[in-house]
Amino acid sequence: MTPILSPQAVHDPQTRQTIVRLLSSMGSAKEISQYLKRFSQLDAARFAVVKVGGAVLRDDLEALVSSLAFLQDVGLTPIVIHGAGPQLDVELAAAGIEKKTIDGLRVTSPAALAIVRRVFHAQNLKLVEALQASDARATSIVSGVFEADYLDRERFGLVGEVKRVDLAPIQASLQAGSIPVIASLGETVGGQILNVNADFAANELVQELQPYKIVFLTGTGGLLDANGKVIDSINLSTEYDHLMQQPWINGGMRVKIQQIKDLLDRLPLTSSVSITRPADLAKELFTHKGSGTLVRRGERVLEAGEWSAFDLVRLRDLIESAFGRKLVPDYFDTTRLHRAYVSENYRAAVILTSEEAGIYLDKFAVLDEAQGEGLGRAVWQVMREQNPRLYWRSRHGNAVNPFYYTESDGCIKQDKWKVYWYGPAGYDLIERYVHSCSARPATLEDVPMESRK
């Protein structure tokens, strides 16, 4: 397949106008360019699978269509698979068929299957026609993708379990530059239509495609914490066990997180799951901050109190690449390490040093390619759990300063630096923090790396 962001797409006036609109409303030019470049290096089938629930089709169709059409405008073609649960509930009730579920799966009789087929076809065409009305290219695919067999005919009736995924209809749509819109209906080898749970169908499709992004569009806009606030990111390698012990994780959310973990465990490390609202889809994909919950398998965090525990060549490269400047040559020889926290693939690091005023945050480095993954936050959280008191400095204009503000208990602005701290600190200790930051020599050379080439 050809790259999904073609030179023709970049030079198309409508596409340029759309990108400018995105730039001005959601993020910096650097962020947008970074994500477009990242996505453009993927084959079309590897960009994103977008799972759309029936409630979104019912309640938020306009925002859904706008977001999907936008992705096509910038040369990206998502693969869409949808359910139709609420619509089925209404139609089955109208036909006098009682809803019955076992283990969360809808028991499907022959009479119910006729309604299932009709509703899925109608909802599929509804989305396709809405996309086409917005000048987006979309293809209706209601059969031919999921080969299935009976899950358990005696218990569930005409409910299918996916046995094989045929990508031919999807690839034909992508090659034509059209968004595949797939209904979660399966067929047996003998041609019997079966009702397939949309989440299960999406999971099987994802296993076959191995996409960079898996997106679940919901009305809540993400997974919610104990206070009803959207959790911005989850690094499963460092947070899963702790998260699953929280009393506010209810049954449905617990199952969803377990399903996402099972899904990501079978995908490349680069894959991730985003849960967001239709209207925020572009923001979630193209900005570091995002808009919903980003879930990644993530990386383990290596930690030690001695430099010898780390690959210093890789650690130096990480720091210099993240800051765009050279470390002083004797950095590792002269820096009194307290403890360092480094992601296992050397893409994010927090380095703490021992100073007379206390424990000092000397470096917080995250590679550009890891921005927006939640990896830096995951490493930071591991560090923070072990260090109840900390101080550090940051240059004015540093893009990380908003994050530092939220993580600190106080900040004092100086001519060159902002001095931050968290943990118990009286006036005398704060004064020592400020003096320490003012007197501390720079460990990054002022000349950018690009200027030295």
Side-chain angles (χ1 to χ4, degrees):
M1 293 185 184
T2 57
I4 52 181
L5 186 62
S6 65
Q8 291 80 8
V10 172
H11 293 295
D12 179 73
Q14 182 181 0
T15 300
R16 284 204 309 271
Q17 186 179 14
T18 305
I19 292 175
V20 169
R21 187 169 68 246
L22 176 67
L23 286 171
S24 63
S25 62
M26 293 195 306
S28 71
K30 181 181 178 182
E31 287 181 42
I32 306 299
S33 298
Q34 180 179 323
Y35 285 106
L36 281 174
K37 180 180 179 181
R38 187 181 302 175
F39 295 149
S40 69
Q41 294 170 346
L42 305 169
D43 285 342
R46 289 220 54 235
F47 166 48
V49 170
V50 179
K51 161 62 171 54
V52 181
V56 169
L57 291 175
R58 179 193 63 196
D59 302 329
D60 217 358
L61 182 64
E62 183 177 350
L64 171 65
V65 168
S66 176
S67 291
L68 294 176
F70 170 82
L71 292 178
Q72 193 172 71
D73 281 345
V74 296
L76 301 170
T77 306
I79 297 168
V80 179
I81 180 169
H82 68 86
Q87 294 87 339
L88 276 173
D89 290 343
V90 172
E91 293 296 321
L92 289 170
I97 299 175
E98 182 182 357
K99 178 180 179 180
K100 182 181 179 182
T101 61
I102 299 176
D103 297 334
L105 296 176
R106 187 188 301 268
V107 176
T108 307
S109 65
L113 182 65
I115 295 174
V116 168
R117 290 183 62 186
R118 174 166 56 82
V119 169
F120 266 100
H121 281 239
Q123 294 302 311
N124 186 277
L125 288 174
K126 177 182 176 182
L127 178 52
V128 169
E129 290 172 356
L131 284 165
Q132 292 172 344
S134 295
D135 295 326
R137 297 177 301 282
T139 301
S140 172
I141 302 177
V142 295
S143 63
V145 174
F146 301 111
E147 181 183 305
D149 202 353
Y150 296 96
L151 179 61
D152 184 332
R153 195 165 186 177
E154 290 186 4
R155 294 186 72 205
F156 299 104
L158 300 174
V159 171
E161 178 182 20
V162 176
K163 296 298 184 181
R164 188 176 71 86
V165 177
D166 187 349
L167 297 180
I170 298 171
Q171 290 170 336
S173 176
L174 293 173
Q175 287 170 351
S178 182
I179 298 172
V181 180
I182 307 162
S184 58
L185 291 172
E187 300 170 67
T188 67
V189 174
Q192 172 63 52
I193 301 296
L194 294 176
N195 182 18
V196 177
N197 176 275
D199 284 333
F200 292 167
N203 287 354
E204 294 299 325
L205 182 61
V206 162
Q207 294 303 322
E208 188 68 27
L209 290 169
Q210 303 272 294
Y212 184 80
K213 296 291 297 186
I214 304 103
V215 182
F216 293 96
L217 296 180
T218 68
T220 61
L223 298 177
L224 306 180
D225 64 15
N227 300 315
K229 182 181 177 183
V230 171
I231 302 169
D232 59 2
S233 64
I234 297 173
N235 185 307
L236 293 172
S237 292
T238 58
E239 299 176 52
Y240 178 76
D241 292 338
H242 176 73
L243 193 62
M244 297 302 279
Q245 293 171 5
Q246 300 308 302
W248 48 269
I249 299 287
N250 58 41
M253 185 176 178
R254 182 178 300 275
V255 170
K256 175 66 72 177
I257 295 173
Q258 288 171 335
Q259 287 178 338
I260 290 173
K261 183 180 185 300
D262 291 342
L263 187 65
L264 289 175
D265 280 346
R266 294 179 285 168
L267 292 175
L269 188 61
T270 52
S271 295
S272 63
V273 169
S274 290
I275 307 169
T276 190
R277 292 186 181 88
D280 294 331
L281 177 58
K283 184 177 181 182
E284 173 65 20
L285 291 175
F286 290 97
T287 66
H288 294 338
K289 185 176 181 181
S291 64
T293 303
L294 174 68
V295 188
R296 298 185 65 88
R297 182 156 34 121
E299 302 176 21
R300 292 183 303 111
V301 177
L302 312 175
E303 53 178 285
E306 298 178 354
W307 290 124
S308 59
F310 301 100
D311 183 332
L312 297 186
V313 173
R314 294 180 72 187
L315 186 55
R316 176 180 289 272
D317 185 58
L318 159 60
I319 295 170
E320 293 182 343
S321 297
F323 286 94
R325 290 185 292 155
K326 288 281 189 180
L327 271 175
V328 293
D330 60 352
Y331 176 77
F332 294 117
D333 296 324
T334 59
T335 301
R336 294 177 296 178
L337 180 66
H338 170 70
R339 199 158 190 82
Y341 303 82
V342 184
S343 68
E344 62 181 317
N345 291 314
Y346 285 76
R347 299 196 305 145
V350 172
I351 295 175
L352 307 183
T353 63
S354 299
E355 309 298 335
E356 291 184 5
I359 305 303
Y360 176 76
L361 169 65
D362 188 60
K363 295 288 180 289
F364 180 30
V366 182
L367 290 181
D368 278 353
E369 68 179 51
Q371 295 283 349
E373 293 183 8
L375 182 60
R377 182 181 292 273
V379 176
W380 178 276
Q381 287 175 342
V382 172
M383 177 279 294
R384 178 142 190 174
E385 287 175 1
Q386 297 181 14
N387 297 274
R389 180 182 290 170
L390 196 71
Y391 76 103
W392 67 99
R393 72 185 183 185
S394 174
R395 292 177 184 269
H396 294 286
N398 189 335
V400 184
N401 284 342
F403 172 74
Y404 286 158
Y405 275 120
T406 62
E407 290 294 314
S408 66
D409 291 333
C411 173
I412 291 180
K413 298 179 182 178
Q414 297 182 298
D415 290 341
K416 187 177 181 180
W417 305 102
K418 295 184 178 187
V419 178
Y420 298 89
W421 68 89
Y422 70 70
Y427 178 79
D428 290 344
L429 183 56
I430 294 171
E431 188 175 36
R432 291 170 60 197
Y433 288 164
V434 172
H435 176 74
S436 173
C437 289
S438 299
R440 187 173 179 80
T443 54
L444 288 165
E445 297 181 351
D446 285 335
V447 181
M449 291 174 64
E450 292 79 0
S451 302
R452 298 170 60 94
K453 295 178 180 177

